[in-house]
Amino acid sequence: MNALHPEQYRWHSVPNRPALEEAALGIILDSAATSISERGRFNIVLAGGETPRGIYERVREAPTDWSAWHIYFGDERSMPPTEPELNSCMAAEAWLSHVPIPEGQIHVIRGDIRADKAAAEYAQLLAGVDLFDLTLLGLGEDGHTASLFPGNPLGTAVDSPDVLPVFNSPKRPPQRITLSAARLSRSRRVVFLVSGESKRKAVAAWRAGNPIPARAIMPEAGVDVLVESSLLE
Ligand code: 6PG
């Protein structure tokens, strides 16, 4: 796996979760303002899991032109549409159901059909999307990101499919859909959100140069990692 040069990782140490949320909020709103003023729209990829919840709750109060926001998801869990553990349900509950983003601009990944069919469907939708403007990603304890897990194909080759089905996720549920590393990397800016003692080993592995899946994300502009300072000690 090729990797970014160390200097292309910008590690931003933040003292705690609220500071991480504040920093992430600033990046999201700056990216939105720039994208909307330059291109009239803002294509953002949302991270799943729990870390982003507080950030999403704060974004919903933002003074912005919601009609220009286009929401995509980095991955989704294969679960029934009303399952609160769906990444799209968490984002809707924390943020999206509270703001007037046109429904046709919130592009959820279907969790209610087989992952390979959902992947093909979402890939078709992404075919019409050039660069994402901002991609938010989490980091798992094993170094996974989105639903790109160690030992699985990460889709790093430039001609990789945009979206991959997962049938053996070590993080429940076993069936998921994930954007490939190549597709996640086609983003003007990529920001990882890393918080919680359980991520210590993954952060250490990442900084030691180990080939964890998060390292497969290699946007041209490099990667920003917002990480709690205690995980860098
Ligand atoms: C998921 C996420 C996954 C998540 C990390 C971190 O579906 O679970 O896409 O990649 O971002 O596992 O999760 P936490 O933020 O809950 O620690």
Side-chain angles (χ1 to χ4, degrees), residues 161-204:
D162 280 0
V163 192
L164 304 172
V166 177
F167 294 101
N168 63 346
S169 166
K171 179 176 183 182
R172 66 175 296 280
Q175 191 170 156
R176 291 162 167 254
I177 303 97
T178 186
L179 270 59
S180 62
R183 180 68 253 225
L184 287 166
S185 301
R186 288 205 294 279
S187 187
R188 289 183 172 84
R189 189 164 192 185
V190 174
V191 179
F192 279 85
L193 311 165
V194 184
S195 165
E197 184 56 30
S198 65
K199 312 301 174 70
R200 178 176 297 281
K201 278 174 67 180
V203 168

Side-chain angles (χ1 to χ4, degrees), residues 72-176:
Y72 300 89
F73 291 85
D75 69 332
E76 190 52 285
R77 305 161 179 197
S78 295
M79 291 173 151
T82 54
E83 173 58 57
E85 287 187 43
L86 279 168
N87 291 329
S88 54
C89 280
M90 184 277 275
E93 191 263 326
W95 166 20
L96 302 176
S97 62
H98 302 271
V99 298
I101 297 175
E103 199 179 336
Q105 294 173 203
I106 299 177
H107 307 288
V108 301
I109 302 172
R110 285 187 64 180
D112 59 332
I113 57 177
R114 267 176 59 92
D116 47 347
K117 288 188 185 315
E121 206 175 86
Y122 209 64
Q124 231 171 347
L125 177 118
L126 291 181
V129 182
D130 182 18
L131 278 179
F132 295 126
D133 293 307
L134 176 62
T135 294
L136 301 177
L137 288 167
L139 180 71
E141 297 172 18
D142 57 1
H144 78 257
T145 192
S147 286
L148 299 169
F149 292 98
N152 278 5
L154 303 180
T156 51
V158 285
D159 60 350
S160 298
D162 280 0
V163 192
L164 304 172
V166 177
F167 294 101
N168 63 346
S169 166
K171 179 176 183 182
R172 66 175 296 280
Q175 191 170 156
R176 291 162 167 254

Side-chain angles (χ1 to χ4, degrees), residues 43-57:
N43 294 330
I44 181 173
V45 180
L46 300 191
E50 274 309 305
T51 301
R53 185 187 295 273
I55 298 166
Y56 297 165
E57 287 169 349

